[in-house]
């Protein structure tokens, strides 16, 4: 058949392993897990998290990879063996498409910060730029005495009660320069052409890294999946040597056992496991490139030692457990890197760590740039940090894009018979994703956040009903395929 003649298989024993590690170890390990751990009882949060990994994360990882390996098809066709469940594959396809549209935008933000790290003066540290307001306060090594209230007010993320009349230069750089926020979602404003160019450039690079399929992309993944881990270790080593790092780490891990009685803590643990393990059909597609008899279960650390000592034997890494260990271990270790740096920042400004602890884009694009600007040689550390973010995002982008392409080709296997069939489908998806991502680099707020369950707010302002409806339509456009 067309499909059997043209479908690729992993070439080496580590290709599958590194591709999944690159996909599962992503931005959530850096900007989400450490904050959840601090917010939900410090070290006590590890109890529901580890239980969730054991009871949910590893079993579903093993289930999806085994399923994909058995059927040998992408997420859209794999569920065809259970006709009633075919909608799950289409739902997975939509989720992956939306996720990749967002990832490109996040990478464009990170690329902008990376390039600006080579400026003579880091632009988020000063208030002398055209995007700064009269309320801008420059970053410093100590607390800032604001003339508006003659009080010592910390520089945080801009939401502090005491900083109503002042905004840190890092916040203004993020909101007024990077996002160039409009008054509301109904005012889309113009396209941020600088971000749009970064978006186009990143997708051009991505296309030429993956347009030939896994035979080509795995060569890149060997770098992009391992280099961020090395960079994370470098950032960690530098972080724990800073003054105030011990206080930050204590704040990160200090156990509050009473939190375990709150249902939300357990929900956050389960959600983080789903979020970081990529339980969405992508694993099915990646495993479909395995040989049918590939041992996906065997324990990884023993086998890694075995592989190193005897390359000529036919055993493969014991993938599932090793992937779980690397993913969860990276999340845990990244917390030390993040909170050691935040502890340093808090001590330099003579404020509590609670005032600088954030998650999501606020941590990566506001708080961390502030902290890095206080370290000697800030340009180097800033460039290193944002290069790590770019590599972490690229891994997910590569994998998601491959899953989108092969899912369509599995649905219409005649494309395997065309000489440039894969390249054409790949280019089509790149254009579609760039088109979908373009509104996210305008001066309006992110479409992605409209899919959140509770009514969307931004700075205590509730979005209009039409925006809420739009968000629900986006969310339902994926999950409705299952009942349909």
């Amino acid at each position: 058949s067309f499909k059997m003649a043209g479908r690729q298989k992993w070439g080496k024993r580590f290709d599958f392993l590194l591709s999944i590690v690159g996909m599962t170890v992503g931005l959530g390990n850096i900007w989400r897990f450490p904050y959840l751990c601090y917010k939900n009882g410090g070290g006590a949060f590890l109890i529901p998290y580890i239980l969730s990994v054991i009871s949910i994360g590893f079993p579903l990882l093993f289930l999806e990879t085994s399923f994909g390996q058995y059927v040998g098809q992408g997420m859209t066709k794999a569920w065809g063996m259970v006709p009633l469940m075919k909608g799950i594959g289409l739902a997975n396809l939509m989720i992956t498409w939306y996720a990749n549209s967002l990832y490109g935008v996040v990478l464009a933000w990170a690329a902008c910060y990376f390039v600006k790290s080579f400026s003579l003066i880091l632009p988020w540290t000063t208030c002398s730029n055209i995007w700064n307001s009269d309320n801008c306060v420059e970053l410093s090594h100590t607390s800032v005495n604001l003339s508006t209230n003659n009080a010592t007010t910390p520089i945080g993320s801009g939401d502090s009660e005491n900083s109503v009349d002042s905004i840190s230069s890092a916040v203004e750089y993020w909101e007024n320069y990077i996002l160039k926020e409009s008054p509301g979602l109904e005012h889309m404003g113009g396209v941020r052409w600088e971000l749009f160019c970064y978006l186009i450039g990143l997708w051009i690079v991505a296309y030429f890294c993956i347009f030939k399929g896994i035979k080509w992309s795995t060569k890149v993944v060997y770098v992009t999946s391992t280099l961020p881990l090395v960079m994370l270790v470098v950032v960690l080593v530098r972080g724990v040597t800073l003054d105030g790092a011990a206080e930050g780490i204590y704040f990160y891990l200090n156990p509050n056992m009473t939190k375990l009685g709150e249902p939300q803590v357990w929900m956050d643990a389960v959600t983080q496991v789903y979020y970081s393990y990529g339980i969405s059909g992508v694993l099915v597609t990646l495993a479909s490139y395995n040989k049918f008899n590939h041992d996906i279960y065997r324990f990884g650390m023993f086998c890694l030692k075995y592989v190193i000592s005897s390359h000529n034997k036919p055993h493969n890494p014991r993938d599932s457990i090793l992937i779980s260990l690397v993913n969860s271990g990276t999340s845990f270790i990244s917390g030390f890197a993040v909170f050691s740096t935040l502890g340093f920042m808090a001590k330099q400004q003579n404020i509590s760590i609670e005032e600088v602890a954030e998650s999501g884009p606020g941590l990566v694009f506001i708080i961390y740039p502030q902290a890095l600007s206080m370290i000697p040689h800030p340009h180097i550390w800033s460039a290193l940090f944002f290069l790590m973010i770019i590599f972490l995002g690229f891994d997910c982008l590569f994998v998601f894009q491959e899953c989108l392409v092969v899912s369509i080709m599995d649905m219409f296997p005649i494309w395997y018979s065309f000489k440039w069939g894969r390249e054409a489908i790949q280019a089509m998806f790149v254009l579609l994703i760039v088109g979908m991502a373009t509104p996210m680099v305008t001066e309006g707020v992110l479409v992605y956040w409209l899919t959140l369950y509770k009514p969307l707010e931004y700075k205590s302002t509730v979005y209009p009903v039409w925006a809420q409806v739009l968000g629900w339509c986006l969310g339902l456009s994926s999950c409705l395929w299952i009942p349909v």
Side-chain angles (χ1 to χ4, degrees), residues 49-67:
Y49 177 74
I50 291 174
L51 288 175
S52 298
V53 169
I54 294 173
S55 61
I56 298 174
F58 173 72
L60 285 181
L61 173 68
F62 180 52
L63 175 66
E64 288 209 353
T65 50
S66 300
F67 179 44

Side-chain angles (χ1 to χ4, degrees), residues 265-339:
V265 173
W266 295 83
M267 285 295 296
D268 284 345
V270 173
T271 303
Q272 174 62 18
V273 168
Y274 272 99
Y275 184 82
S276 63
Y277 276 67
I279 310 296
S280 63
V282 173
L283 296 172
V284 174
T285 303
L286 292 179
S288 70
Y289 294 125
N290 281 336
K291 295 178 181 178
F292 185 79
N293 60 349
H294 176 83
D295 194 338
I296 208 167
Y297 177 75
R298 294 171 299 166
F299 185 74
M301 302 309 291
F302 174 84
C303 188
L304 272 180
K305 182 179 178 182
Y306 181 80
V307 169
I308 292 171
S309 62
S310 50
H311 291 283
N312 59 333
K313 298 186 179 180
H315 295 281
N316 291 313
R318 297 165 179 187
D319 302 320
S320 296
I321 297 178
L322 180 59
I323 292 166
S324 300
L325 290 174
V326 172
N327 182 26
S328 299
T330 303
S331 295
F332 182 64
I333 292 172
S334 67
F336 288 91
V338 169
F339 274 88

Side-chain angles (χ1 to χ4, degrees), residues 95-329:
I95 291 171
T96 305
W97 184 11
Y98 294 156
N100 230 21
S101 300
L102 177 64
Y103 259 107
V105 175
V106 175
L107 290 180
W109 296 339
C112 187
Y113 273 84
F114 173 73
V115 171
K116 299 298 183 182
S117 297
F118 296 96
S119 303
L120 188 61
I121 299 176
L122 295 176
W124 51 85
T125 62
T126 67
C127 290
S128 57
N129 307 288
I130 58 173
W131 60 80
N132 293 124
S133 68
D134 294 335
N135 295 329
C136 178
V137 180
E138 292 189 358
L139 301 178
S140 66
H141 290 269
T142 58
S143 299
V144 178
N145 189 8
L146 299 177
S147 58
T148 53
N149 55 14
N150 291 320
T152 301
T153 304
I155 299 177
S157 60
D159 327 4
S160 174
E161 238 178 50
N162 296 325
S163 57
V164 173
D165 297 321
S166 66
I167 306 176
S168 77
S169 53
V171 173
E172 290 208 341
Y173 179 77
W174 168 246
E175 295 181 350
N176 299 345
Y177 179 73
I178 296 295
L179 299 183
K180 201 172 182 181
E181 294 177 339
S182 67
L185 192 62
E186 63 274 12
H187 304 286
M188 292 300 290
V191 174
R192 292 282 291 106
W193 290 109
E194 182 179 8
L195 290 179
F196 184 73
C197 289
Y198 284 123
L199 181 69
I200 294 295
L202 287 165
W203 271 109
I204 290 175
V205 172
Y207 177 80
F208 285 106
C209 287
I210 59 181
F211 77 118
K212 288 292 185 182
I214 59 172
K215 297 288 187 182
W216 189 279
S217 63
T218 47
K219 295 179 175 62
V220 181
V221 169
Y222 269 77
V223 176
T224 58
S225 64
T226 56
L227 194 58
L229 300 180
V230 175
M231 293 178 176
L232 179 61
V233 172
V234 173
V235 173
L236 169 64
V237 172
R238 184 65 183 103
V240 298
T241 60
L242 295 171
D243 186 26
E247 291 86 345
I249 293 172
Y250 176 79
F251 194 80
Y252 167 49
L253 291 178
N254 181 34
N256 179 4
M257 304 303 290
T258 61
K259 283 281 190 177
L260 296 181
E262 300 178 11
Q264 186 60 45
V265 173
W266 295 83
M267 285 295 296
D268 284 345
V270 173
T271 303
Q272 174 62 18
V273 168
Y274 272 99
Y275 184 82
S276 63
Y277 276 67
I279 310 296
S280 63
V282 173
L283 296 172
V284 174
T285 303
L286 292 179
S288 70
Y289 294 125
N290 281 336
K291 295 178 181 178
F292 185 79
N293 60 349
H294 176 83
D295 194 338
I296 208 167
Y297 177 75
R298 294 171 299 166
F299 185 74
M301 302 309 291
F302 174 84
C303 188
L304 272 180
K305 182 179 178 182
Y306 181 80
V307 169
I308 292 171
S309 62
S310 50
H311 291 283
N312 59 333
K313 298 186 179 180
H315 295 281
N316 291 313
R318 297 165 179 187
D319 302 320
S320 296
I321 297 178
L322 180 59
I323 292 166
S324 300
L325 290 174
V326 172
N327 182 26
S328 299

Side-chain angles (χ1 to χ4, degrees), residues 337-468:
V338 169
F339 274 88
S340 61
T341 307
L342 295 185
F344 164 76
M345 178 182 177
K347 189 166 186 178
Q348 291 296 307
Q349 294 187 340
N350 195 28
I351 59 178
S352 69
I353 300 177
E354 292 176 334
E355 297 182 68
V356 295
E358 280 203 27
S359 68
L363 173 66
V364 173
F365 297 109
I366 298 178
I367 299 299
Y368 225 81
Q370 292 184 74
L372 293 175
S373 68
M374 299 177 183
I375 301 175
H377 312 295
H379 297 75
I380 296 175
W381 291 108
S382 179
L384 180 66
F385 175 75
F386 286 108
L387 184 62
M388 178 183 74
I389 296 298
I390 291 172
F391 279 152
L392 285 172
F394 251 135
D395 279 333
C396 295
L397 187 142
F398 288 166
V399 170
F400 288 171
Q401 188 70 4
E402 174 64 22
C403 291
L404 289 173
V405 170
V406 78
S407 294
I408 294 299
M409 295 184 72
D410 283 348
M411 291 176 67
F412 306 100
I414 192 174
W415 282 97
Y416 284 106
S417 66
F418 298 149
K419 182 178 180 181
W420 301 101
R422 172 178 288 275
E423 291 82 352
I425 295 291
Q426 195 78 260
M428 178 190 73
F429 264 112
V430 167
L431 292 175
L432 287 173
I433 288 175
V434 169
M436 188 171 183
T438 299
M440 302 186 203
V441 292
T442 63
E443 297 167 5
V445 231
L446 285 174
V447 177
Y448 171 79
W449 299 112
L450 296 178
T451 61
L452 297 179
Y453 175 72
K454 58 185 179 182
L456 190 66
E457 296 182 9
Y458 184 74
K459 294 182 179 179
S460 301
T461 301
V462 179
Y463 278 103
V465 175
W466 69 265
Q468 307 287 349

